[in-house]
Amino acid sequence: MRLRQAEESDYPGIIAVLDDWWNERKMTDMLPRLFFKHFRDTSFVAEEAGSAVGFLIGFVSRTDPRQAYVHFMGVHPDRRRQGLASALYGRFFETVASLGCREVHCVTSPANANSIAFHTRLGFAVEAGDKVVDGQAVHGDYDGPGEDRVLFVKRIVAENS
């Protein structure tokens, strides 16, 4: 397996399989090509035999350059639970820490128990929300009416700090 920076040329192949990786949930609208074009230095692809088996799309905040944000990440269903997602996040943490970031943020749906468990295992803390749904702190209407989200934050430190 090879872990490398994302390229705009990765977009068609990833978009072609994205909904399949999410059990036919419509996810492609959440991942426009612009991320592969404008955030390549902080976005990564894991590939085997020339095909993407995982990816992470992230960026440094323009509002607060001490913060980074993971917009989207995915791993081929046959490659899950093999450390690939952790490796992608690890590369992202190293990269953004070297750019001066001290925190990484991301969000997920409160219905995505696997994502919540994964991010918690990775050391992310759930940010206090404005309501609790099924025992989970959420931010109501975060992504629009009825679109509650679980917000995460992880503190990171550069090795030379």
Side-chain angles (χ1 to χ4, degrees), residues 11-152:
Y11 181 77
I14 289 173
I15 281 299
V17 299
L18 195 61
D19 291 346
D20 289 340
W21 288 9
W22 265 264
N23 293 320
E24 302 307 322
R25 281 178 52 209
K26 180 77 170 132
M27 303 300 285
T28 55
D29 291 346
M30 295 178 60
L31 191 60
R33 182 184 293 264
L34 70 91
F35 287 100
F36 290 81
K37 183 172 185 169
H38 296 289
F39 299 102
R40 293 187 336 242
D41 60 338
T42 54
S43 298
F44 303 96
V45 170
E47 69 179 2
E48 275 184 347
S51 294
V53 293
F55 67 93
L56 182 148
I57 304 298
F59 54 89
V60 175
S61 171
R62 296 281 299 158
T63 303
D64 184 348
R66 295 167 300 171
Q67 297 182 2
Y69 183 80
V70 173
H71 172 69
F72 208 113
M73 77 93 51
V75 173
H76 187 291
D78 293 343
R79 294 300 313 273
R80 293 181 184 155
R81 300 204 174 275
Q82 298 176 17
L84 189 51
S86 296
L88 286 160
Y89 262 102
R91 175 71 64 88
F92 182 75
F93 295 152
E94 290 171 10
T95 300
V96 298
S98 75
L99 297 171
C101 294
R102 298 296 171 254
E103 294 180 347
V104 174
H105 296 262
C106 60
V107 304
T108 196
S109 165
N112 194 338
N114 289 336
S115 177
I116 295 167
F118 168 75
H119 285 92
T120 302
R121 281 192 310 273
L122 208 56
F124 280 89
V126 174
E127 294 187 31
D130 57 8
K131 65 183 186 177
V132 175
V133 175
D134 296 329
Q136 181 62 62
V138 301
H139 293 254
D141 299 332
Y142 186 80
D143 279 333
E147 299 295 330
D148 300 346
R149 296 292 180 258
V150 177
L151 277 62
F152 296 98

